[in-house]
């Protein structure tokens, strides 16, 4: 006997409660989405599971995004949830032998737009770094660091390091002394990224000087706990945590008047500024420790936007 949509819907919602144990709020959201789905199908004269086609499911998705006289258009995330509910209903019906085919199988939920990483300009980076702590002398001496709170030298070294290497905050806080080689001719750091993968990354001169100033003038004062191998220490002598590093960044951003700064801001800015400067995307991929160049390509979207801005403002016939 053909299964009616209302009966299938009730059975599926009961399954979500009893078998899946979903939270009441989640089940209620599914209930609303599926009732709207059933209403659309009924308006098309379809009340049996076997009558539903992939075109009906696609039309339902379109109606969610466009809205109608009774419903406002849904955001991508809400529309995706509704389509997931519909896909679950039809998959359940096939599994339970209530329907022979799954019309929703080939109608994927909409994907949210890919968010571009937030990068700040070089001028803003310099403001942020200046607000984090004093800069060491450019000739390699550390006279300017004398008498300064050691935590400020640490903060400056940390942010210079993050921007100078593109390291993740977790990689910086997990960094040990023996992984940092500040040879003046070739300063380099070994970073341990996701999945325990190691990579060697050059350390720029600004970051190298800030690290030298911190290691010589500040770290010994913070190293109250003997034997800690960590480069970046907290006020108690232990390893600086990710939360602690985020606090350093947040405080410096507040002093610099840059409220919209996240833990990854300097890493994103590193990648964007490298590509803007002409770096090959595969080099940036290696520096960032991305397993796939596809992950790195999101930064090219930012640089293309920048190219458009420059083109629009520079080419004599760009704008009419």
């Amino acid at each position: 006997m053909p299964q009616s949509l209302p009966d299938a819907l009730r059975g599926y919602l009961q399954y979500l409660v009893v078998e899946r144990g979903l939270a009441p709020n989640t089940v209620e959201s599914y209930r609303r989405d599926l009732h709207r789905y059933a209403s659309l199908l009924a308006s098309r004269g379809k009340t049996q599971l076997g009558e539903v086609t992939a075109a009906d499911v696609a039309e339902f998705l379109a109606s969610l995004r466009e809205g109608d006289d009774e419903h406002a258009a849904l955001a991508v995330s809400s529309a995706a949830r509704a389509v997931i509910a519909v896909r679950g209903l039809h998959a359940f019906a096939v599994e339970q032998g209530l329907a022979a085919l799954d019309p929703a199988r080939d109608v994927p939920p909409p994907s949210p737009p890919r968010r571009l990483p937030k990068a700040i300009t070089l001028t803003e980076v310099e403001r942020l770094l200046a607000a984090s702590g004093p800069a060491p002398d450019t000739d390699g001496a550390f006279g300017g660091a004398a008498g300064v709170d050691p935590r400020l030298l640490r903060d400056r070294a940390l942010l210079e390091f993050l921007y100078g290497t593109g390291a993740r905050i977790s990689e910086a806080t997990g960094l040990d002394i023996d992984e940092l080689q500040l040879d003046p001719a070739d300063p380099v750091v070994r970073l341990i990224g996701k999945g325990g993968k190691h990579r060697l990354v050059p350390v720029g001169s600004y970051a190298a000087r800030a690290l030298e100033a911190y290691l010589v003038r500040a770290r010994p004062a913070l190293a109250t706990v003997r034997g800690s191998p960590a480069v970046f220490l907290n006020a108690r002598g232990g390893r600086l945590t990710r939360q602690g590093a985020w606090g350093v960044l947040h405080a410096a951003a507040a002093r610099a008047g840059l409220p919209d700064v996240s833990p990854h801001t300097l890493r994103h800015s590193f990648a964007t500024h490298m590509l803007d400067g002409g770096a090959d995307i595969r080099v940036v991929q290696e520096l960032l420790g991305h397993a796939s160049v596809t992950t790195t390509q999101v930064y090219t979207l930012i640089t293309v936007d920048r190219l458009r801005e420059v083109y629009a403002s520079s080419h004599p016939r760009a704008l009419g």
Side-chain angles (χ1 to χ4, degrees):
M1 179 178 178
Q3 181 77 23
S4 73
L5 274 165
D7 287 344
L9 195 156
R10 280 192 294 270
Y12 178 56
L13 291 172
Q14 185 176 21
Y15 161 77
L16 293 179
V17 173
V18 177
E19 301 292 335
R20 294 281 305 278
L22 296 188
N25 287 344
T26 302
V27 175
E28 183 56 33
S29 295
Y30 274 42
R31 187 190 311 277
R32 289 195 302 268
D33 294 334
L34 291 172
H35 281 165
R36 181 172 175 179
Y37 176 58
S39 295
L40 180 140
L41 292 172
S43 71
R44 300 169 72 122
K46 298 186 176 184
T47 59
Q48 305 294 318
L49 275 175
E51 298 172 338
V52 182
T53 66
D56 294 320
V57 181
E59 178 64 26
F60 175 62
L61 171 57
S63 73
L64 294 173
R65 296 293 287 130
E66 295 169 3
D68 54 36
D69 293 340
E70 298 180 8
H71 304 92
L74 294 184
V76 172
S77 58
S78 298
R81 183 201 63 218
V83 172
I84 289 170
V86 169
R87 284 166 61 91
L89 168 67
H90 286 289
F92 168 79
V94 171
E95 184 179 331
Q96 297 296 314
L98 305 177
L101 300 174
D102 180 353
R105 183 183 60 183
D106 297 326
V107 183
S111 300
R114 195 169 191 182
R115 293 183 179 178
L116 295 180
K118 175 66 177 178
I120 57 179
T121 67
L122 177 57
T123 299
E124 290 171 329
V125 168
E126 291 172 340
R127 279 169 48 198
L128 179 66
L129 295 173
S132 66
D137 300 338
T138 56
D139 60 2
F142 309 121
V148 174
D149 184 335
R151 290 173 298 180
L152 292 179
L153 294 181
R154 177 205 61 195
D155 296 352
R156 179 65 181 248
L158 172 66
L159 298 195
E160 288 276 11
F161 177 78
L162 290 171
Y163 178 65
T165 63
R168 301 175 178 92
I169 278 190
S170 58
E171 293 170 344
T173 56
L175 186 66
D176 290 341
I177 290 289
D178 61 3
E179 292 161 346
L180 187 61
Q181 301 173 25
L182 296 180
D183 182 336
D186 185 25
V188 67
V189 63
R190 183 180 64 178
L191 296 174
I192 304 175
K194 293 182 177 180
K197 294 182 179 179
H198 293 216
R199 68 186 188 279
L200 289 178
V201 177
V203 179
S205 60
Y206 286 86
R209 283 198 300 269
L211 285 164
E212 286 281 10
Y214 161 66
L215 294 172
V216 171
R217 298 289 185 183
R219 189 179 181 279
L222 295 174
T224 55
V225 178
R226 290 189 176 184
S228 175
V231 170
F232 297 106
L233 302 177
N234 59 32
R236 297 178 300 281
R239 184 182 295 274
L240 186 68
T241 64
R242 291 175 62 182
Q243 292 77 12
W246 164 227
V248 169
L249 177 61
H250 182 73
R255 291 193 293 268
L258 299 170
D260 191 19
V261 171
S262 75
H264 260 25
T265 295
L266 291 176
R267 177 172 164 85
H268 295 325
S269 302
F270 165 88
T272 302
H273 298 168
M274 287 284 293
L275 289 168
D276 280 341
D280 183 270
I281 190 171
R282 293 198 177 273
V283 172
V284 177
Q285 174 196 353
E286 291 294 327
L287 293 173
L288 292 175
H290 286 160
S292 169
V293 74
T294 303
T295 309
T296 317
Q297 283 174 335
V298 67
Y299 294 103
T300 64
L301 301 178
I302 302 173
T303 60
V304 167
D305 286 344
R306 173 62 181 152
L307 288 174
R308 289 195 185 100
E309 292 176 7
V310 172
Y311 177 82
S313 62
S314 304
H315 195 284
R317 297 183 70 82
L319 300 174

